[in-house]
Amino acid sequence: MTEQHQQDTIVLEARGVTKHFPVRRTGRDVVARSRRSVHAVDDVWLQLRRGTVTALVGESGSGKSTVARLLAQLYPLTKGEIQLDGTAVKAGRGRSFRRYVRQVQLIFQDPFASLNPVHTVRYHLTRALKIHGRAGTGDAELETNLAALLERVQLTPPQRFLDKFPHELSGGQRQRVAIARALGADPKVLLADEPVSMLDVSIRLGVLNLLKDLKDRLHLAILYITHDIASARYFADTTLVMYAGRIVEGGDSETVTQHPAHPYTQLLIASAPDPDRVVGEPQREEAQEETGSGEPPSLIAPPGGCRFHPRCPKAMERCSTELPPRFDLADGQWAACWLYENAKDNGNEKEAVSR
Ligand code: SF4
């Protein structure tokens, strides 16, 4: 299989995935379920391809971590479907579900909380190998497999790390152990939920480079959840932008980060530190002046129409009542924004075609 063919292969797909959490009212003696719910994720469509990184970017509370947990089958879906290798996955205990949880592994944000402090690295990795039937047939083979896992995450020599406890490791080393544990299942997909946000700035790049190396060598499909759109440009092949439970823009990372179409993405870019930004650069200054203000909306009663309309500097009358569909732009970029409905007719450079 050629490298291009591998990158065209869709491994994991979310089709209209929706998650609403019921709001519970607690009384002194009773817990009553109200009719209201938190619209955490609505109608999310995404595809993870073999040997590529897809970034899901958004501010806190946008629903991006919930998407990762839904893909990891930690929550049941309210609506929609998840497909692995083109086959719909049903939550439960069957063989196909066990295969799914082995092949789709989640890496959490906080490596200290995700490792048990009373157990060594050897315990964590041995357990993962045994659960997934990859420990080998004897002690010697187990030692070889443990060493291979640590070498794969560049913790060498392995003997130096195997008998250490989590508190004896740095944050970056702990996250590498968490990644090694996920690799113990021999997965096809890694869901990395803000994998570097709790690490010192100086070691973030090393962990991102490790994930990039694993993507290239093991042809993993990686979902990279982040609030840092600048890191998405560096690390991801494709970038999706999420706002208030919906994905509002997508495309290849270079295009989305350098030529954002959706006003929310423009706001994110304008507020991100950019070492390449030239002071006084007119386009950037204009974008910063135009950026909307205010807070993300409540997801218990999200705004009608476009959920960004209360903050959007370009909002029109219809934006508060009509939900914009996805409009395809040039070069695979798309945006869910009414600005692009007639872009092709009125000569907008981001030539748009409604789907
Ligand atoms: Fe702004 Fe309207 Fe576009 Fe929403 S649809 S981003 S409110 S212009």
Side-chain angles (χ1 to χ4, degrees):
M1 194 186 281
T2 64
E3 194 169 318
Q4 184 57 48
H5 188 202
Q6 284 181 343
Q7 291 186 348
D8 289 343
T9 308
I10 298 168
V11 185
L12 190 67
E13 187 169 8
R15 300 172 63 84
V17 162
T18 297
K19 181 65 186 175
H20 295 172
F21 294 100
V23 176
R24 291 169 190 276
R25 277 200 308 255
T26 54
R28 200 153 24 137
D29 297 313
V30 294
V31 178
R33 184 179 286 204
S34 79
R35 290 208 183 125
R36 297 193 305 166
S37 57
V38 177
H39 296 229
V41 171
D42 266 313
D43 198 25
V44 161
W45 295 72
L46 63 81
Q47 298 173 333
L48 303 184
R49 294 170 192 273
R50 193 166 155 82
T52 64
V53 177
T54 301
L56 186 56
V57 183
E59 59 199 336
S60 297
S62 60
K64 55 193 190 305
S65 290
T66 306
V67 170
R69 282 162 173 70
L70 291 169
L71 292 176
Q73 302 279 351
L74 296 183
Y75 303 141
L77 306 183
T78 304
K79 221 162 69 181
E81 185 178 88
I82 294 170
Q83 293 186 353
L84 179 67
D85 293 329
T87 305
V89 182
K90 301 232 180 311
R93 294 177 169 274
R95 191 185 293 174
S96 70
F97 183 68
R98 282 201 300 277
R99 178 175 157 261
Y100 182 91
V101 294
R102 196 181 77 239
Q103 298 202 331
V104 181
Q105 291 283 308
L106 180 61
I107 298 164
F108 291 97
Q109 181 177 12
D110 182 354
F112 200 76
S114 68
L115 298 175
N116 189 329
V118 302
H119 289 301
T120 61
V121 172
R122 177 187 296 279
Y123 174 90
H124 286 95
L125 299 188
T126 300
R127 190 159 181 270
L129 288 171
K130 284 187 172 169
I131 285 172
H132 298 293
R134 303 184 64 239
T137 50
D139 289 350
E141 200 175 344
L142 173 62
E143 285 300 311
T144 304
N145 292 342
L146 288 171
L149 275 183
L150 287 177
E151 279 166 1
R152 203 166 286 161
V153 296
Q154 297 156 12
L155 288 177
T156 54
Q159 292 68 28
R160 213 180 111 204
F161 296 95
L162 270 172
D163 295 310
K164 288 208 186 298
F165 288 89
H167 74 269
E168 297 177 290
L169 302 172
S170 70
Q173 290 169 340
R174 283 196 290 267
Q175 195 59 297
R176 285 169 191 266
V177 171
I179 294 168
R181 181 175 58 181
L183 295 179
D186 193 22
K188 286 183 171 178
V189 179
L190 282 185
L191 307 170
D193 185 7
E194 305 248 21
V196 296
S197 64
M198 296 193 70
L199 305 181
D200 290 343
V201 174
S202 57
I203 53 179
R204 286 180 186 178
L205 195 58
V207 173
L208 286 183
N209 281 336
L210 167 66
L211 288 170
K212 209 169 188 174
D213 178 61
L214 294 174
K215 173 200 84 164
D216 292 337
R217 282 200 293 149
L218 304 180
H219 306 296
L220 294 172
I222 298 179
L223 180 67
Y224 171 55
I225 307 276
T226 183
H227 58 269
D228 176 13
I229 197 163
S231 69
R233 180 188 173 195
Y234 161 75
F235 178 50
D237 303 278
T238 301
T239 292
L240 303 170
V241 180
M242 195 159 187
Y243 181 76
R246 290 186 174 276
I247 297 183
V248 296
E249 179 166 359
D252 77 76
S253 295
E254 186 69 15
T255 307
V256 171
T257 56
Q258 294 307 295
H259 306 286
H262 196 280
Y264 174 64
T265 315
Q266 292 168 0
L267 182 154
L268 271 185
I269 301 275
S271 55
D274 179 359
D276 294 336
R277 187 175 302 164
V278 178
V279 177
E281 188 182 350
Q283 192 186 345
R284 298 289 193 180
E285 286 195 341
E286 186 186 317
Q288 274 178 316
E289 274 170 26
E290 284 191 359
T291 52
S293 56
E295 298 291 318
S298 160
L299 294 181
I300 294 178
C306 171
R307 289 186 179 175
F308 189 55
H309 83 262
R311 296 171 75 185
C312 181
K314 296 174 179 162
M316 301 165 279
E317 206 175 321
R318 70 188 304 189
C319 298
S320 59
T321 53
E322 295 177 53
L323 179 68
R326 166 180 160 162
F327 295 103
D328 286 338
L329 313 177
D331 302 324
Q333 188 181 13
W334 62 268
C337 171
W338 288 120
L339 289 175
Y340 299 100
E341 183 187 21
N342 299 313
K344 198 172 187 184
D345 302 335
N346 64 22
N348 187 305
E349 60 173 1
K350 284 190 179 301
E351 200 175 321
V353 183
S354 174
R355 267 163 54 111

